Each structure stands twice: as C-alpha cells, then as structure tokens.
Amino acid sequence: MTSSTPTAVGLYSIGIGGVDPEALLALAVEHEVPFLHLRGGPRGFDLARRDTATLDRWARCSQVSVPITVVTADLDLIDFARPGTPTYWRASAELNRLGHAASVLRAHAVRLLARHHLDQRQWADLTVPDLAARHGLTTLIELHEPAWFTDHSVDALVTHLERAPWLALLMDTAQVQQAWRRSEDPDNLAAQVSVLAPRTRVIHISDSDDHVPGAGYEIVAKTFGHLENDSPVEIAFEWTGADRSPQVCLDRYRRAVAWWHSRSEANL
C-alpha cells in the first residue's frame, strides 16, 4: 500500500549564495527543509581542501539540524575515461578527497557531471573509483547532454551500471526537459527515462526561472509517481535563477515542493 505521507523534498545549496554550511543548515531548520545537498567542488564549498576540524564542525552542526545527504563534484565523467593520463589521475585523486570529506559529513553519495556523451571506446576505458568500497558512498552520474537519452546511449549506460554497482544516476528535470526539446522522438523519451528509473537514486527538480513545469518535468513526475517513504530515490530542489538570495530560493523551493506533491497525488 502506498503511503499517504508526502515525499520529503530537500534543497541543493547551489540556490543560496554567500552563506557557509552552518548558516545554510540553520536556514534549513528555520524553513523546515528536511535535508541538504551540498555543492562540494571548487565552485562551491571546496570540500576536498577543507581541513578535518572544519569538516567535523560542519558534521556536528548537521547532526543537530538536518542531514547533508549528497555532495556534488565539479568533475566530469569523461575524465575517468582517459586511463593512465594526468587528467585521470587528477580526477581520481580529487574524487577520493571529496569522498573522504563526504563521509565525514555523513553523506551517502557524491555526484559527478556527465557533460559529454561517451562513445564505445570511452565506455570501454571508463574506470570510476569505487567510493562504496573506500568510503561507503554511491557515486551518482548526472546526465547533462540530450544524447544520453537516446536508445543506444541508454542501453550502453545501463550495461555499464550493471557492471559497476557503486554507480547510480541523478535525474535532473532540466536535463530531461532539454532532451525533450531536442528529441526527434519526444514520445520515446518517457520510455528511456523509465528504463533508467531503477538505477536512479536522486532527482533534482530544477528551476532557472522558466523551466517549471514542462513536458520533461512531467515525464519525470509521471515516471517516479508517488514514492514510498522507504524509496531509495531522494528528491531535492535546485534553484539556478539569477537571484540566489535565501528569500527568493526558498520561495521557489516551496513552489517546487507543492508542484511535486500535486503531481505525485495525480499519479496515485
């Protein structure tokens, strides 16, 4: 039986600028945000270069406020398809440092971007460090290119994910929307998202001030429906509009949460 309790929706820190993690955690408590995703790369809080004392302090703050569940990296998946190169070794070292920081913060996953679609040779060369074995973390891949959602690409992606159980997907509604806009067969996109659903562990409901809702958003909402409370899929809101003030971001957050819950109820 499906639970009637609305699915919890967290907040990705990219939406609020100029605050440190402790202030962000305080805002989350004040506005009843259940958990945070933290931008962890150099363009965010640069967690890989934080000292242990700082990470421990943030972890203690999280324990008495809200959990930090996902840390995002600025690293690109394609950097792990260049074995034996300086690019690969730098990316692997950075990911391992970030994995350590995420484990101190008690997160359960680290996200990589996939801005570039991989060809057959790159798939064969792809070696992403196993953060599950080293730090108890899932590595999430966020698909940032419409070509990822074609039949052939989805097949190759699923095949690789089956061989690497420490990898999973972050499904971003804005990326699905972009794929829908560029697709030669928009009706087939829903089928491809459904194929990817079993390996999806996080959904970001993205809003850049003009993208909520849209056909791609509706595909994601319909695919994942009304999630059970014990579902392995976690939902968070990502605000990328021009004004990153807490007031604006949290207003857009509340709108997105209301939209997601309305779509979930429609799929009961």
Side-chain angles (χ1 to χ4, degrees):
M1 181 176 179
T2 302
S3 169
S4 59
T5 304
T7 305
V9 179
L11 177 67
Y12 180 23
S13 70
I14 195 173
I16 298 178
V19 298
D20 65 22
E22 291 172 88
L24 194 63
L25 289 163
L27 278 170
V29 172
E30 180 183 352
H31 292 273
E32 299 182 316
V33 176
F35 58 86
L36 292 176
H37 292 175
L38 213 58
R39 194 179 193 192
R43 290 182 292 174
F45 295 110
D46 204 8
L47 299 178
R49 274 156 285 279
R50 297 289 183 173
D51 59 77
T52 301
T54 298
L55 294 171
D56 282 337
R57 187 176 74 251
W58 292 347
R60 290 193 300 271
C61 186
S62 174
Q63 282 185 293
V64 298
S65 53
V66 303
I68 296 166
T69 59
V70 174
V71 166
T72 65
D74 295 331
L75 297 166
D76 199 294
L77 184 68
I78 201 169
D79 292 339
F80 298 94
R82 299 179 170 118
T85 66
T87 296
Y88 175 82
W89 293 117
R90 282 194 298 269
S92 295
E94 176 77 5
L95 183 59
N96 280 315
R97 287 192 296 268
L98 194 59
H100 168 72
S103 68
V104 173
L105 295 173
R106 297 177 174 83
H108 59 68
V110 172
R111 181 222 65 183
L112 302 177
L113 289 170
R115 299 183 186 93
H116 307 282
H117 179 249
L118 302 188
D119 60 28
Q120 186 174 357
R121 180 190 60 78
Q122 289 164 333
W123 275 123
D125 289 341
L126 185 66
T127 306
V128 180
D130 183 355
L131 295 185
R134 299 184 185 188
H135 303 291
L137 297 163
T138 299
T139 301
L140 302 169
I141 300 169
E142 182 175 350
L143 309 176
H144 258 249
E145 162 62 49
W148 283 113
F149 293 93
T150 62
D151 291 2
H152 177 73
S153 297
V154 166
D155 289 344
L157 177 58
V158 169
T159 297
H160 190 85
L161 291 174
E162 288 174 348
R163 296 171 182 168
W166 60 90
L167 298 177
L169 299 176
L170 185 155
M171 188 78 67
D172 185 298
T173 55
Q175 308 310 326
V176 178
Q177 178 73 12
Q178 185 181 33
W180 180 82
R181 286 175 173 167
R182 298 189 184 183
S183 177
E184 296 179 358
D185 185 7
D187 293 338
N188 188 48
L189 180 60
Q192 301 312 316
V193 172
S194 293
V195 170
L196 296 174
R199 294 306 302 267
T200 299
R201 293 295 174 266
V202 171
I203 295 168
H204 274 184
I205 308 168
S206 290
D207 183 2
S208 63
D209 212 18
D210 63 350
H211 286 166
V212 176
Y217 287 73
E218 296 291 343
I219 286 171
V220 174
K222 186 174 181 179
T223 299
F224 290 90
H226 189 79
L227 298 172
E228 301 281 353
N229 289 332
D230 60 354
S231 169
V233 180
E234 185 172 276
I235 317 294
F237 173 66
E238 177 176 349
W239 167 243
T240 56
D243 187 340
R244 305 292 177 93
S245 65
Q247 180 179 357
V248 170
C249 177
L250 289 163
D251 178 62
R252 304 301 291 215
Y253 165 79
R254 286 185 286 270
R255 294 187 197 183
V257 171
W259 173 80
W260 182 263
H261 288 163
S262 72
R263 303 314 299 145
S264 297
E265 291 168 3
N267 285 308
L268 284 174

